[in-house]
Amino acid sequence: MKKESNGEIDVEMYVSMQLGGKPPQLVDQVREGVVDIVWTVGGYTPGRFPHLEAFELPFMPASAEATSQAVHEYMTTVGAEDLKDYKVLAVFVHAPGKIHTKDKLIKSASDLEGLKMRGPTRVISQMLGELGATPVGMPVPQVAPSLSKGVIDGMVVPWEIMPSFKLEELTKSHSVVTGDRGLYTTPFLFLMNKAKYESLTDEQKKVIDDNSGLALAQMAGQLWDSFEAPARKLAEDAGGEFHEISGAELEQLQATGDAFVEAWIAEANEKGMDGAMLIDTARNLVTKYDN
């Protein structure tokens, strides 16, 4: 953006909440103009983006590249009401999450019975509880010390996150669902303050627009997919054991997931949304971009 605006647009990046506040406050910080741009997780503020939650549901995602484009189109069309107070730069997701445990290899839903598992989202945490695990909520940086201290027995995350916290050294058993849809994903929001965007000249706005939108969502998804294989290789090199959940075991997980989808549809309807339409739209968009 700096290059294409001939230096008129400059971006200063502040990581790890250096400008103050807690992660759940990021969406308000950018809406109120405390900062100009944020990159955050939609699920940090449960209930704030009700349309977006469709992409947090079990067995919704394909690859990160396909699903990122799907969620961006969804949130700029049928889900646009959620983000009307922001200039949307991109909405995207990480690659589908996998099940990782310290030592017990998960081959079926019953293997989760009694395990303390870090849940990544509200819905997936509830699903883990339904399957007999004890879901434990915590930010990702707390996962490694919690594994070491026995606070949790495992977690559900994409491969990508493993190397950042050396989780491949703390978890030795790894399970992946087979098929064309992953267990879950998490949507990210890349948002700009609306007034700041409107204060720019038409030429400067064009620079912002040329470097955001669907193409940026696709690029983010491609990056997330590219992180997966190298991170899995680290788990292989660390002597991990692996299992692909398929057949009847997969069908049981999917049936449990379907129940949560139906419950979400009912909740959405109570909020005045058309839950079934939103689920159909989300699934059709994932298929569209996956093809």
Side-chain angles (χ1 to χ4, degrees):
M1 291 194 295
K2 187 172 184 177
K3 179 182 177 183
E4 292 180 20
S5 68
N6 296 315
E8 293 176 5
I9 300 175
D10 194 15
V11 179
E12 295 177 359
M13 289 195 284
Y14 296 86
V15 302
S16 303
M17 305 305 298
Q18 288 175 343
L19 296 180
K22 303 286 187 184
Q25 296 170 321
L26 285 168
V27 289
D28 287 326
Q29 288 183 358
V30 71
R31 181 174 58 84
E32 296 165 4
V34 177
V35 296
D36 299 320
I37 295 172
V38 294
W39 174 35
T40 187
V41 176
Y44 282 167
T45 48
R48 184 74 170 267
F49 307 106
H51 292 80
L52 184 62
E53 289 178 358
F55 278 83
E56 296 179 355
L57 292 169
F59 298 99
M60 179 63 75
S63 67
E65 180 180 3
T67 311
S68 291
Q69 293 173 90
V71 71
H72 182 89
E73 180 174 333
Y74 173 96
M75 289 303 292
T76 52
T77 53
V78 296
E81 174 68 18
D82 286 3
L83 301 178
K84 67 181 188 302
D85 295 331
Y86 309 90
K87 164 65 178 175
V88 180
L89 300 179
V91 187
F92 49 92
V93 300
H94 63 61
K98 286 78 178 174
I99 303 171
H100 311 272
T101 54
K102 290 168 77 169
D103 35 45
K104 184 178 182 180
L105 187 61
I106 305 302
K107 296 182 178 180
S108 66
S110 61
D111 291 332
L112 289 164
E113 186 79 39
L115 295 184
K116 294 171 290 187
M117 298 290 293
R118 184 260 179 180
T121 64
R122 179 177 68 96
V123 172
I124 299 302
S125 292
Q126 291 173 343
M127 183 174 168
L128 287 168
E130 185 70 20
L131 294 170
T134 300
V136 182
M138 65 180 66
V140 167
Q142 292 179 16
V143 169
S146 297
L147 284 166
S148 297
K149 295 172 184 175
V151 175
I152 56 175
D153 300 303
M155 69 282 181
V156 188
V157 295
W159 285 114
E160 168 270 333
I161 204 68
M162 305 287 278
S164 301
F165 302 97
K166 296 188 173 8
L167 297 178
E168 74 278 1
E169 297 176 7
L170 296 169
T171 55
K172 295 300 183 183
S173 302
H174 312 280
S175 299
V176 180
V177 300
T178 57
D180 58 0
R181 294 293 178 267
L183 182 60
Y184 87 98
T185 192
T186 301
F188 296 92
L189 300 170
F190 194 39
L191 305 173
M192 185 173 183
N193 176 266
K194 220 170 187 178
K196 174 61 74 172
Y197 175 78
E198 293 299 335
S199 74
L200 303 177
T201 66
D202 288 344
E203 292 77 13
Q204 291 167 341
K205 287 178 184 174
K206 185 176 186 302
V207 173
I208 299 288
D209 294 343
D210 287 348
N211 289 283
S212 60
L214 189 65
L216 180 57
Q218 181 182 17
M219 181 192 299
Q222 289 171 338
L223 280 168
W224 235 280
D225 286 332
S226 73
F227 299 147
E228 291 294 280
R232 176 181 168 128
K233 179 69 163 53
L234 290 177
E236 293 170 354
D237 293 345
E241 56 177 348
F242 302 84
H243 180 72
E244 292 189 348
I245 301 174
S246 61
E249 287 74 21
L250 177 59
E251 289 174 7
Q252 183 183 355
L253 284 176
Q254 290 171 331
T256 304
D258 288 343
F260 279 96
V261 172
E262 291 302 317
W264 185 87
I265 289 173
E267 283 181 25
N269 292 342
E270 289 176 4
K271 295 174 184 174
M273 302 185 293
D274 186 340
M277 179 276 290
L278 293 173
I279 292 297
D280 287 345
T281 301
R283 285 173 171 165
N284 289 338
L285 285 169
V286 173
T287 299
K288 167 186 168 180
Y289 287 105
D290 195 33
N291 289 338

